Amino acid sequence: MSQPIDHTRRRLIQSLGLGILAAGTFPRLIFATGGGSPRPVSPNFHPDVDVELTARPTDLPLFKGPRTHVWKFFGQVLKGPENCLTPMSGSYLGPLLRFRRGQRVRIRFRNELPEDSVVHWHGLHVPAVMDGHPMYAIGPGETFAYEFEILNRAGTYWYHPHPHWVTAKHVYRGLAGMMLVEDEEEMALGLPSGAYELPIVIQDRSLDRRNQFQYSSHMMTRMRGFLGNRIIINGTANATFSVATRVYRLRVLNGSNSRIYKLGWDDGSPLIVIGNDGGLLERPESRPFVMLAPGERIDVWVDFKGHKLGSERVMRSLPFTTGHGMMGGMGGRMMGGMRGGGMMSGSVLPLGSDYPLFRFRITRQESGDSHLPTRLSSITPLRLGDAANSSKSRTITLSMRHMSALLNGLSYGMDDVAPWERIPLNTLQIIEFDNGFGVGHGMRMPHPMHIHGEPFQIIKRSIHRRFGNAYETVSAGLLDSGWKDTVLVMPGEKVTLLKRFDDFKGRFMYHCHNLEHEDLGMMRDFLVY
Ligand code: C2O
Ligand code: CU
Ligand code: CU
């Protein structure tokens, strides 16, 4: 199974009318801030899984002391296998959703928040109207029935709101959840499952003395991205997993607003990576560390065999530098101040410092006999020569200036598609993200660039030599193989990728997954026509 997406399902989807909706429905736009219409369930869609997902404010006992006010997704199964929804009790995260490739899924999103919102299924290839575009945001008290078929291959995906200007705030308050897709290819491998498969969502928050999440929308924070002073694993205070002396599969998601992690084991042993954004790699890869930017996922194989009962292994974020500066070369001092103390937010956890993320305490003797497959999957490489634009790539420059974050000099416009953003349906495209490679000066920050729709393959990276030293602290951890939907583009770097635009017409976002940057306007739409 080499394709990330099952295109044979296309006809079925079109016969359900979703293809047409995707291309043709543009609900009313109110003040260009979203304002879509509620969407009822469609009577001719026959779901295999039918769940309700309600977003509402609540107060949870997450930490010692007062309860924390959060916004949370609550789920309920109306129809479907038992494991399709696992509530995250004691956590602000939404339920873990588990789907199977080929399933028809209906998710009735009910907005019980005091604001407009919309849900995006990060990494899934769904019709434009189902993709959580801000123009489909619904108001308080309204319901939107998402209906789509799972076309993606097995992998770790996630869902989160995507409302115009305020995605960062909605996610920060707690609205997010992990979503796993299974398929036959993966199941045949017999990878660790059940209690031996651990979802791990890494986020950061700033807590005040009353256990409330503090968020600063100060311009400095927005330009840099929010950095909290405390790491939160799986939406709860407990960051220790108690494990047995055997093999585990860790499904790790960076669900932070802007914080980038450099994952590495405290004992210096390499990370064994078996998958990333778009599912399993061809074969396991061993890395001294792995960079994980907001929106990215990795699937890690770890064996606790031979560890003493009572001992611990810790996953850390290791030190790195991003080489960014507020004003190119002269901003070092100023940035140093911000990185060190996050002057504005009082952050005690500067980006790129060295700190623990989560730990495993070995508490049980058990012998499980999973062994690491040498071959996991097969991935057909996309070829430059097959691209519709093989003579001229679509280059998107990333820049930050005048208190805004721009893509090719433009910030987000609800109804605005530039010529280079028009993409013919069913084509392969070369896309380049240029973060100062071609210029080498200006304010440069890392940007985790995400494209909606089908996953892509990373073809090439080039770094401007002015940024070479900082780059060396991260480059061995950039895991570019397999299928990706989010790619970390470092300062001074240009990344070339190949992506297909199949099946669905309509507007699909691409943006920086530093959510403060996204909300500053570092987002645009591709129009697939
Ligand atoms: Cu995870 Cu457009 O987002
Ligand atoms: Cu997405
Ligand atoms: Cu960015």
Side-chain angles (χ1 to χ4, degrees):
M1 188 77 64
S2 59
Q3 289 307 309
I5 301 296
D6 184 352
H7 297 289
T8 60
R9 306 281 178 175
R10 186 156 115 215
R11 223 162 296 125
L12 170 66
I13 287 169
Q14 280 165 349
S15 74
L16 293 169
L18 301 181
I20 297 155
L21 269 178
T25 313
F26 289 87
R28 65 199 153 95
L29 300 178
I30 297 172
F31 306 125
T33 59
S37 316
R39 183 180 185 278
V41 301
S42 49
N44 35 7
F45 182 87
H46 302 290
D48 304 301
V49 178
D50 193 345
V51 299
E52 210 169 58
L53 199 62
T54 303
R56 63 179 152 83
T58 184
D59 295 297
L60 298 177
L62 297 175
F63 308 99
K64 214 182 289 149
R67 289 176 171 244
T68 306
H69 186 72
V70 299
W71 289 2
K72 173 171 168 141
F73 285 116
F74 293 87
Q76 201 193 333
V77 183
L78 306 176
K79 178 187 177 193
E82 232 198 292
N83 72 350
C84 71
L85 189 151
T86 311
M88 299 283 287
S89 54
S91 161
Y92 59 75
L93 291 178
L96 174 70
L97 302 178
R98 192 184 286 268
F99 301 131
R100 186 75 69 83
R101 185 180 208 176
Q103 268 177 343
R104 270 166 294 200
V105 171
R106 173 187 288 150
I107 302 169
R108 308 165 189 234
F109 166 56
R110 193 170 160 70
N111 181 0
E112 290 183 8
L113 303 168
E115 295 178 12
D116 286 10
S117 199
V118 62
V119 190
H120 166 57
W121 320 98
H122 182 127
L124 293 193
H125 179 47
V126 298
V129 71
M130 301 300 164
D131 194 44
H133 193 283
M135 69 178 155
Y136 298 115
I138 52 167
E142 296 182 334
T143 299
F144 192 105
Y146 293 91
E147 293 170 330
F148 50 81
E149 183 167 347
I150 304 291
L151 301 177
N152 290 68
R153 72 200 281 258
T156 311
Y157 304 95
W158 66 304
Y159 59 95
H160 61 77
H162 225 303
H164 202 33
W165 307 127
V166 288
T167 295
K169 192 179 83 178
H170 283 213
V171 173
Y172 186 75
R173 290 182 177 220
L175 295 171
M178 190 181 270
M179 193 165 50
L180 300 177
V181 171
E182 310 172 332
D183 64 13
E184 269 147 38
E185 182 196 36
E186 187 190 70
M187 286 186 305
L189 291 172
L191 298 171
S193 61
Y196 308 113
E197 179 188 39
L198 302 175
I200 300 179
V201 180
I202 313 174
Q203 295 176 305
D204 60 342
R205 297 287 183 270
S206 283
L207 291 186
D208 68 13
R209 282 188 321 208
R210 290 169 12 267
N211 284 346
Q212 302 310 307
F213 293 162
Q214 286 187 302
Y215 188 74
S216 154
S217 38
H218 196 282
M219 191 41 90
M220 270 317 197
T221 306
R222 300 176 64 199
M223 291 294 275
R224 179 197 58 187
F226 175 87
L227 293 174
N229 56 23
R230 172 167 181 164
I231 302 299
I232 308 275
I233 302 298
N234 288 345
T236 156
N238 179 17
T240 302
F241 299 87
S242 117
V243 295
T245 52
R246 51 152 291 148
V247 169
Y248 281 77
R249 177 181 188 186
L250 315 180
R251 322 227 14 182
V252 188
L253 157 69
N254 182 351
S256 310
N257 280 29
S258 94
R259 186 179 287 274
I260 300 166
Y261 304 97
K262 177 176 171 176
L263 302 180
W265 290 112
D266 62 339
D267 62 4
S269 55
L271 256 80
I272 311 293
V273 182
I274 59 172
N276 57 0
D277 300 358
L280 292 173
L281 305 175
E282 278 204 297
R283 42 182 67 79
E285 288 187 34
S286 162
R287 296 293 180 99
F289 55 85
V290 175
M291 299 305 298
L292 201 67
E296 289 186 304
R297 290 87 72 200
I298 53 163
D299 212 321
V300 176
W301 173 278
V302 56
D303 194 350
F304 298 109
K305 191 160 83 197
H307 287 261
K308 275 213 285 309
L309 291 189
S311 65
E312 284 190 347
R313 280 187 81 180
V314 181
M315 184 71 84
R316 300 187 69 82
S317 186
L318 305 172
F320 63 94
T321 47
T322 56
H324 60 267
M326 287 299 282
M327 275 90 202
M330 39 189 269
R333 222 175 346 146
M334 184 175 174
M335 228 32 219
M338 280 182 59
R339 299 215 316 254
M343 287 186 303
M344 303 304 165
S345 64
S347 172
V348 294
L349 269 185
L351 181 68
S353 59
D354 185 4
Y355 49 88
L357 293 171
F358 47 89
R359 56 188 73 229
F360 299 92
R361 187 169 300 137
I362 292 88
T363 56
R364 293 178 336 268
Q365 197 72 49
E366 243 178 63
S367 45
D369 232 16
S370 306
H371 56 98
L372 183 60
T374 50
R375 189 168 184 87
L376 297 162
S377 175
S378 71
I379 290 174
T380 312
L382 300 173
R383 293 183 319 181
L384 282 165
D386 293 339
N389 60 337
S390 59
S391 56
K392 194 180 182 309
S393 64
R394 293 174 192 261
T395 301
I396 313 287
T397 60
L398 318 178
S399 61
M400 306 207 61
R401 74 181 107 89
H402 304 135
M403 303 298 173
S404 57
L406 307 169
L407 297 170
N408 273 350
L410 301 174
S411 77
Y412 191 64
M414 263 283 190
D415 252 331
D416 159 32
V417 175
W420 61 86
E421 292 167 331
R422 297 175 51 84
I423 295 187
L425 182 67
N426 296 331
T427 56
L428 176 70
Q429 299 285 333
I430 310 173
I431 296 174
E432 268 176 10
F433 290 119
D434 186 336
N435 188 15
F437 175 74
V439 192
H441 57 77
M443 178 184 170
R444 296 293 161 198
M445 295 188 59
H447 298 292
M449 295 304 300
H450 171 50
I451 311 180
H452 286 220
E454 286 157 281
F456 48 76
Q457 289 181 4
I458 298 171
I459 303 303
K460 186 171 140 206
R461 289 176 179 267
S462 319
I463 184 78
H464 191 283
R465 63 187 145 65
R466 195 168 85 71
F467 294 88
N469 290 341
Y471 194 65
E472 269 176 27
T473 67
V474 307
S475 55
L478 298 168
L479 202 118
D480 289 346
S481 37
W483 294 102
K484 294 281 294 169
D485 58 50
T486 306
V487 58
L488 178 58
V489 187
M490 291 296 290
E493 191 175 33
K494 182 173 77 177
V495 177
T496 308
L497 55 91
L498 278 170
K499 183 187 185 301
R500 292 205 58 86
F501 291 82
D502 291 318
D503 303 319
F504 307 119
K505 294 183 175 177
R507 279 160 60 189
F508 291 90
M509 296 170 264
Y510 66 100
H511 58 89
C512 180
H513 222 289
N514 175 322
L515 297 181
E516 281 72 30
H517 288 179
E518 178 191 324
D519 287 345
L520 265 185
M522 202 169 200
M523 169 161 118
R524 300 280 305 168
D525 288 330
F526 283 125
L527 175 66
V528 182
Y529 68 96

